[in-house]
Amino acid sequence: MDKVELRRSLLQKRKSLSQQEWREKSDRIVSHLLASPLLTSGKTILAYFSCRQEPDLNSLFHHNHYNWGLPRCVGENLSWHIWQPGDETQVGAYGICEPLPTTPTISPSAVDFILVPAVACDYRGYRLGYGGGYYDRLLSSPVWRSKLTIGIVFEFAYLPQLPTDPWDIPLHAVCTEKGLG
């Protein structure tokens, strides 16, 4: 199956999750992240606002001993901004919630790791995104390339092998509702 067909199939499967199943799976992912030594060793973590029934990480943001960075789409790139619960957001590109443009940005040097949304990930760490290339451009940039990355997907989207392109960069780990690996 090519990337387009696979993306369509997995997005449909994710969309078919009941609200309760989505919530339970998301909560288990958050529990695994909170129990991970990776998370406890970090201070500044880049994450995302869930959309299209992605795993929801919002309950992580209430752990205020972390500095959270959330993205804004600016042109063809992601701009990372400091965000905490209660801060205002706006609907940006693609209908995704984003911090306001006036929110302070985060320097790449301050970032410990990145929680990366995906349609799917494979056992080698490769991810299938939405096709816009935002995370591909981010992760291939020298300033971001050295950052620890954790893909966030539901178990049904954690596959043995995905089709890849030469520019794809594998993530360091993947977290599903069954654990962090």
Side-chain angles (χ1 to χ4, degrees):
M1 198 180 291
D2 71 10
K3 285 185 175 187
V4 173
E5 292 169 6
L6 185 58
R7 183 180 295 116
R8 186 179 310 119
S9 170
L10 290 168
L11 287 173
Q12 185 58 42
K13 185 163 185 169
R14 194 168 75 190
K15 188 178 173 183
S16 73
L17 292 174
S18 72
Q19 190 67 22
Q20 180 179 345
E21 188 178 14
W22 172 76
R23 178 80 271 141
E24 287 171 357
K25 288 176 182 291
S26 294
D27 289 346
R28 284 197 297 271
I29 288 171
V30 167
S31 293
H32 290 302
L33 289 170
L34 287 172
S36 167
L38 288 175
L39 194 75
T40 56
S41 69
K43 182 69 179 149
T44 300
I45 302 166
L46 303 184
Y48 62 89
F49 289 118
S50 172
C51 71
R52 295 179 266 195
Q53 260 186 281
E54 290 171 326
D56 182 9
L57 304 180
N58 286 351
S59 61
L60 272 179
F61 306 149
H62 295 283
H63 292 267
N64 57 8
H65 48 279
Y66 298 109
N67 297 317
W68 294 105
L70 281 292
R72 285 183 48 252
C73 292
V74 178
E76 292 190 345
N77 296 299
L78 295 174
S79 174
W80 294 92
H81 297 261
I82 295 170
W83 188 87
Q84 57 188 348
D87 285 357
E88 257 186 272
T89 60
Q90 66 184 22
V91 176
Y94 309 104
I96 300 170
C97 249
E98 300 179 340
L100 297 179
T102 54
T103 307
T105 57
I106 294 177
S107 164
S109 63
V111 173
D112 295 305
F113 62 90
I114 308 170
L115 301 176
V116 182
V119 174
C121 290
D122 73 15
Y123 299 168
R124 302 169 302 161
Y126 287 102
R127 69 181 281 277
L128 176 65
Y130 295 96
Y134 286 90
Y135 280 90
D136 291 328
R137 284 187 290 280
L138 178 83
L139 299 177
S140 67
S141 167
V143 70
W144 292 105
R145 194 172 187 140
S146 64
K147 301 300 175 185
L148 183 65
T149 52
I150 301 173
I152 308 294
V153 293
F154 293 125
E155 186 68 26
F156 66 78
Y158 188 35
L159 306 171
Q161 187 169 349
L162 291 170
T164 58
D165 290 306
W167 58 82
D168 289 334
I169 295 172
L171 304 172
H172 296 97
V174 176
C175 188
T176 74
E177 68 272 19
K178 292 201 174 169
L180 181 64

